[in-house]
Structures are given as C-alpha cells and as structure tokens.
Amino acid sequence: MADYAAVTYPAADQAERRFERIIGNSAALESALEQVEQVAPTDSTVLIEGETGTGKELIAHAIHNASQRFGRPFIKLNCAAIPLDLLESELFGHEKGAFTGAIAQKIGRFEMADKGTLFLDEVGDIPPALQPKLLRVLQEQEFERLGSGRTHKVDVRLVAATNRDLVKMVTRGQFRSDLYYRLNVFPVSLPSLRERREDIPALVTHFVKMFSRRMGKQVESIPPETMAAFQWYSWPGNIRELQNLVERAVILSRDGVLPNPLHKKQTELMIPSLYRTQTFPASMTLEDSDRALIVETLEQAGWIVGGPRGAAAKLGLKRTTLLAKMRRMGIFRPILQEGTDGSGIAPETI
C-alpha cells in the first residue's frame, strides 16, 4: 500500500506538496482530502478511521508532508503487530536491566518522533493497562522510559488510525473514554473502495504500469470485460486487495493483454447480465465501454438516475457523480415530445 504514486511535487514547494501519492478524484475521496488539507497545517491530533486496506498510512504521510513538521521525523508503529508485553517499551523505551532481556538502553517511538509526527496504526489494539500512559503523553507531552524515574519532555504530533469501532469499544469498557476523546480531536473517515468505484480505472492503470515496470513485462491493453470485473467486485480488502490482484494479473498476462484475475464464477455473479452479454470490439476504449455500461444501466432502470432502484445505485456511484459523467459523455435521455404534428423525438438534457 505504500506505492501508488500519481503526482510528484517539488520538495521545496510546500504549498503544492499535499497528496503526491494519492490516486483518484471521486467525490468521496475528495471530501476526505479536503478534511486532511484543513487539519494538516495544525498540530491537532488526527484519528483516521476506515476499513483495512483503505490507505490510512498514506493519509498519515500526507498530513505530515503538508504540515510545518515536514522534514522532521515521521515515525510509525503498528500497535497490532507488537506483542502486548513489548508494546510499552516500543512506545516509551526502556533502560538497561529494566526487565529480563533488556541488555541495553532502548529509545521509544515517542522519543524518536520528537519535533515530528508519530503515526500509531491500529490504535484500538492498545491494551487497557497501557492506555493511561498514552493519555498522559498526549496531554502532558512527557513520559518515563521503563526502568527510569527521569521524565522526558517531547514535542510530538500524533496521528492515529483504526479499523475498529472505538465508540463501541468504549461502551464495552475496552477503550478509555478520555483517551478516545483525546484521540478524536479531528476525525477523518476514509471511504472504502466500494464507495469510490469511479477511481478504480485510474488505480488499475497505475498498478499495471508499476508492476509491468518491475517485472519487465509489456501490458498494453486492459479489456473492457476485465475492467468491468474490477469495477463490480465488492473489494472487502479495498486498495490493498486491488493492488495484489493487479499484480497477479500482470504475472498471468500474455501478448500484452491483462487477464481477469478474479474467479470466473465470482465474476459472473457480480457483473450485471446487461454487461456480460455485451460483445465489445477489440478497438473499444475504456471510455467507450464505460459509456455503453452507463447507457445500458440507465435503460434497465427506466432512465431513473437517483433512488435505491436508480442507475446510480446499480453502478455504485453517487447520483451527482453519474450525472456529471453523463454530461461529460453526452448521454441524454431520449423522450417523445409531441408537437403540432404529434410526433418527434428530441433528447432531454439531464
């Protein structure tokens, strides 16, 4: 997940250096990035919420890069990946002899991140016994290493992330309410890939180029049927799963054509019959196939755009996003307009 770059900004131009590795322009993603842009220049604590694989670490990097702390340390720690008995030492460090096996002094992540940013991923996995110590360092910006009575002062901006429902954990007594409120100063909710399907073609194209370059393979074509499979899949693993499947597809590619890496039965279940029955010419572009899919979906929905049975819901898009696509592609609803002669067909602008 650390490698889906789209744009590179000059390091010296801080005003332009914001979301240099984030791909997509969907409304859902743009909404989240607007929040990031607002909070990044401050020193406020940020809580990034979202499903696994949505790019929380990437957003944490973006916050750091767009802040006044850019150029200072960006330190990260996955709280779920560290054994519970070692997590306190990882966060705050320890002195030699503090416990069995502590054969040397160790600097913790808070100390490493002094004057910079500390990113705590999976913060919901911090055990209750350690939560008061985390709360203290957030409030007072001070701590003691294990085995030491000396207090260390730090200047650290915290960005935390979780895929767990911390509110429910607070209700069940698994997470301290005061720590939750301290972390939840500025929450940023990342959309799942299902909520930003219009970004999938750009992500697929990027990953294809990335893995083709790494593997020394030439992939020149992504068939519309393959792209449709990507766009209709539910993506429980979000962007991380998409990246892995594209890598598999590049490995399996032959004659410069990207195959569909999803299981055939899975593809048949998820892609609407209206799309599976289409026969696409080899020269059809991605925009042509998108246009055909939108028109067929509109016809199936009786040209109803919004609502639970409308074309937007069937395509997994917001109503406004679908309308924008229709305007850009010149898709209009054909209606019968009765004139003096009682006939005539004219397009209705939506």
Side-chain angles (χ1 to χ4, degrees), residues 94 97 99-104:
H94 65 252
F99 51 85
T100 303
I103 59 175

Side-chain angles (χ1 to χ4, degrees), residues 82 85-112 133 143-150 152:
I82 306 296
D85 56 341
L86 296 179
L87 186 55
E88 184 174 1
S89 173
E90 285 293 329
L91 287 170
F92 307 117
H94 65 252
E95 298 292 343
K96 180 179 179 181
F99 51 85
T100 303
I103 59 175
Q105 184 189 75
K106 176 182 174 64
I107 303 299
R109 304 300 172 100
F110 270 99
E111 211 166 339
M112 293 179 189
K133 295 185 178 183
F143 66 93
E144 291 84 33
R145 294 180 193 150
L146 281 171
S148 171
R150 180 188 170 194
H152 293 266

Side-chain angles (χ1 to χ4, degrees), residues 17-84:
R17 186 197 65 251
R18 289 191 289 270
F19 311 121
E20 56 192 45
R21 295 161 58 199
I22 297 170
I23 289 176
N25 56 9
S26 62
L29 180 62
E30 290 290 339
S31 177
L33 295 185
E34 284 177 11
Q35 292 181 298
V36 170
E37 198 165 22
Q38 287 176 318
V39 74
T42 74
D43 263 348
S44 297
T45 301
V46 180
L47 179 62
I48 306 171
E49 301 171 297
E51 297 178 8
T52 297
T54 49
K56 294 188 285 293
E57 182 179 334
L58 202 61
I59 293 297
H61 269 289
I63 292 171
H64 175 73
N65 289 345
S67 75
Q68 297 301 315
R69 295 174 183 260
F70 177 74
R72 305 288 180 85
F74 177 86
I75 305 298
K76 59 186 179 181
L77 177 67
N78 187 329
C79 300
I82 306 296
L84 298 183

